[in-house]
Amino acid sequence: MQDLVIRDADVVDGSGADSYRADVVVDDGRIVSIVREAAAAGCQRPTAMRELDAEGLVLSPGFVDMHAHSDLALLRDPDHSAKAAQGVTLEVIGQDGLSYAPVDDRTLAEVRRAITGWNGHGDDLDFDWRSVGEYLDRLDRGIAVNAAYLVPQGTVRALAVGWEDRVATPQELARMRQLVAEGLEQGAVGMSSGLTYTPGMYAENAELTELCRVVASYGGYYCPHHRSYGAGALEAYEEMVALAREAGCALHLAHATMNFGVNEGRAPELLDLLDGALAAGADISLDTYPYTPGCTTLAALLPSWASEGGPEAVLARLADEESAERIRHDLEVTGSDGCHGVPVEWETIEISGVSDPALAAHVGRRLDGWPTARRLLLADRLGTTVLQHVGHEENVRSIMRHRVHTGGSDGILQGAKPHPRAYGTFPHYLGHYVRELGVLSLEECVAHLTSRPAARLRLPDRGLVREGHRADLVLFDPRTVAAGSTYEEPRRLPTGIPYVLVDGRFVIDDGRRTDVLAGRSVRRTPAG
């Protein structure tokens, strides 16, 4: 007898086609049968060991979070309801050019310090890996949801070159090419960059192009957090499109927003640029989250020269009065490259988390100027995370309508007051932008969150409700689905998503997290 039959579900299959009523049968982790309009047809209805009445519920493929920062959370927190309860069945990690493989002992220590604000320091974990393959093997011991990995270009540069702002030597470039190739051979799906984060931002385009040629040769994709989302944002997008085309590499634009006052109402210009490139044959996709504020570390706003040499060098400059004054001038007058070339507006920056519990009183407060920011950076040893309230709703809506758009939470799970996108991105799309505003139809939105990302990841048996596909599935109530998370209570779980299956096993059952750890690494499909 089969494992499960889901009866009388309204199937939104991920293709963008109209929904239909069906019984869907799951066995051994895959969809084995779809019987349309079974009750109305009066035909023999399938049976199984478990029969789930889905009357009034939508059955869709599991959602794919194309931009996640769960690199350590998946290992630290077996529950991981932040994503599982949203209906996310696959996360793409290794984002923004900084993660934990490939590394040596030195680089691992430096990266852990640099992105403490994203993932915590990891003192509660055994870092028993160094290569990409070893990290993926660690995930394969069992995690809440599936995970795909991008080789982080900044980590690769830290390993081969260090944290210096200089051109890589031919030998160092050859080493970086080798590291990227090894990561892809071991299962990574592409390469990420964080071109406003050190040391990745020190790479010139010629270096990035060479690395992207390696990515292209393995059928992967390049996922840059490009050089500016503020002043010169459109030129930064143009730069990435040209670079990817020069390398012959597929391009996926990370959290493709147009932020800060200089970009209000300018989303159509970005979309025109993308449409032109797509018409000329470029392979481009993008992801966004359905909120206006951004989230990053406070240290990320510093100018690149202040971050050269790694975290300890940053702290030394912050402690030095002359260097600190130069940093302040770049932040407040010139416009730091770390702050996207825009002079910082301190009142837009809200503290969302600190690494040192003694500093918890700062969480939820807006910064009142450089002196407070400097003291916090030093006291928290760069571990502070912030919300940056600099986005524009009309830009968010315009971009999410585009035909190559996918969903990505950019969810940072650290901190006492994280961005609500970490817990709410996918139900917020379905509840607010589909049901309440009608920005997208339900069928369109589900396609954005399922089959489109699966196609980018080159996963032939995921992202659709189809016979033979893996049973990564979500059942939600279209009348009630909503993000529970808010800016005031960012860790509240969503409503209206009673069932989530990973590999045919219930990770959310009747609204409750089970103890199932069905997730594994999802590795690159060989080209061809």
Side-chain angles (χ1 to χ4, degrees):
M1 183 174 285
Q2 315 284 10
D3 292 337
L4 171 70
V5 58
I6 302 169
R7 293 203 186 281
D8 294 321
D10 293 320
V11 178
V12 177
D13 67 6
S15 70
D18 291 343
S19 64
Y20 59 87
R21 179 67 63 91
D23 292 356
V24 177
V25 182
V26 172
D27 191 59
D28 196 25
R30 293 189 180 270
I31 300 168
V32 296
S33 177
I34 301 173
V35 182
R36 295 194 183 212
E37 300 292 350
C43 60
Q44 180 71 33
R45 303 192 71 176
T47 59
M49 287 186 288
R50 178 172 178 179
E51 300 184 4
L52 177 61
D53 181 3
E55 181 71 36
L57 298 179
V58 167
L59 175 67
S60 83
F63 306 135
V64 180
D65 189 342
M66 285 295 287
H67 193 103
H69 289 284
S70 302
D71 308 49
L72 299 186
L74 283 163
L75 303 176
R76 175 186 294 120
D77 177 20
D79 182 83
H80 202 47
S81 287
K83 295 301 177 67
Q86 291 187 61
V88 171
T89 58
L90 171 59
E91 298 183 271
V92 185
I93 55 179
Q95 297 286 353
D96 294 330
L98 288 167
S99 190
Y100 305 95
V103 293
D104 58 13
D105 291 350
R106 170 190 63 81
T107 308
L108 176 60
E110 293 166 342
V111 169
R112 286 175 65 183
R113 172 65 63 80
I115 54 175
T116 293
W118 294 356
N119 298 307
H121 193 262
D123 290 334
D124 52 340
L125 294 171
D126 178 11
F127 287 81
D128 59 351
W129 67 86
R130 292 297 179 269
S131 71
V132 170
E134 289 168 348
Y135 175 70
L136 297 179
D137 289 344
R138 176 69 178 274
L139 298 178
D140 284 341
R141 298 180 196 174
I143 50 179
V145 302
N146 297 311
Y149 189 73
L150 295 165
V151 178
Q153 170 258 329
T155 300
V156 166
R157 197 172 211 272
L159 180 55
V161 180
W163 296 73
E164 291 76 38
D165 183 1
R166 62 174 176 82
V167 176
T169 67
Q171 293 79 14
E172 289 166 342
L173 180 56
R175 174 65 172 145
M176 286 189 280
R177 287 173 54 89
Q178 178 188 9
L179 289 166
V180 172
E182 288 173 353
L184 290 159
E185 287 172 359
Q186 292 163 10
V189 295
M191 181 180 77
S192 73
S193 283
L195 300 179
T196 64
Y197 301 125
T198 58
M201 69 190 303
Y202 299 141
E204 296 182 347
N205 281 359
E207 178 182 314
L208 296 172
T209 300
E210 286 302 305
L211 298 182
C212 283
R213 288 194 172 108
V214 176
V215 175
S217 72
Y218 284 90
Y221 69 92
Y222 181 42
C223 180
H225 164 129
H226 52 274
R227 298 191 191 273
S228 178
Y229 291 83
L234 203 61
E235 291 77 11
Y237 282 112
E238 290 173 343
E239 177 189 22
M240 292 298 101
V241 170
L243 187 155
R245 295 200 69 184
E246 173 68 18
C249 188
L251 176 66
H252 180 84
L253 297 166
H255 37 61
T257 56
M258 294 285 284
N259 286 340
F260 301 91
V262 294
N263 290 315
E264 186 172 2
R266 296 189 67 191
E269 296 176 58
L270 168 60
L271 301 181
D272 286 346
L273 166 66
L274 299 182
D275 286 338
L278 289 162
D283 183 359
I284 300 174
S285 56
L286 59 87
D287 66 69
T288 69
Y289 47 84
Y291 299 88
T292 53
C295 181
T296 188
T297 62
L298 182 56
L301 307 184
L302 300 177
S304 58
W305 65 263
S307 298
E308 185 177 4
E312 290 303 324
V314 179
L315 290 167
R317 292 187 184 101
L318 287 166
D320 176 74
E321 293 298 333
E322 184 176 346
S323 296
E325 172 56 23
R326 185 181 167 198
I327 292 170
R328 183 205 64 78
H329 185 272
D330 279 6
L331 281 168
E332 295 184 346
V333 181
T334 306
S336 161
D337 49 4
C339 195
H340 307 278
V342 177
V344 69
E345 297 175 333
W346 294 113
E347 68 275 10
T348 69
I349 298 175
E350 177 186 357
I351 304 302
S352 61
V354 292
S355 294
D356 184 349
L359 301 169
H362 290 274
V363 174
R365 295 180 180 175
R366 302 286 181 113
L367 285 175
D368 57 8
W370 168 242
T372 302
R374 180 190 177 194
R375 287 195 300 271
L376 192 53
L377 285 163
L378 285 166
D380 208 26
R381 296 188 63 78
L382 312 182
T384 305
T385 52
V386 298
L387 300 185
Q388 217 171 352
H389 296 267
V390 293
H392 305 285
E393 178 66 19
E394 71 274 20
N395 286 348
V396 170
R397 296 189 193 187
S398 295
I399 293 169
M400 75 170 63
R401 293 188 184 102
H402 197 269
R403 66 185 185 279
V404 299
H405 170 266
T406 66
S409 71
D410 197 12
I412 294 174
L413 300 170
Q414 286 297 114
K417 197 170 182 285
H419 196 304
R421 69 193 185 192
Y423 284 73
T425 285
F426 295 87
H428 196 51
Y429 269 121
L430 296 168
H432 186 59
Y433 286 96
V434 172
R435 184 181 62 246
E436 295 175 2
L437 299 181
V439 174
L440 295 167
S441 72
L442 180 59
E443 289 83 359
E444 287 175 320
C445 187
V446 169
H448 289 219
L449 307 181
T450 59
S451 64
R452 287 188 189 175
R456 167 52 72 216
L457 296 167
R458 298 178 59 241
L459 302 176
D461 60 351
R462 298 178 194 265
L464 292 166
V465 179
R466 292 281 191 276
E467 292 181 358
H469 276 53
R470 289 187 177 274
D472 293 345
L473 300 169
V474 182
L475 281 155
F476 63 89
D477 186 338
R479 300 160 298 184
T480 63
V481 62
S485 60
T486 65
Y487 293 102
E488 292 72 30
E489 297 183 75
R491 296 185 187 276
R492 283 173 52 190
L493 297 180
T495 57
I497 306 179
Y499 301 100
V500 180
L501 294 90
V502 174
D503 202 32
R505 300 168 66 190
F506 285 91
V507 297
I508 302 292
D509 193 351
D510 196 22
R512 298 178 180 87
R513 177 70 173 98
T514 70
D515 61 1
V516 168
L517 296 176
R520 298 294 186 270
S521 69
V522 174
R523 307 199 186 204
R524 180 187 58 86
T525 303

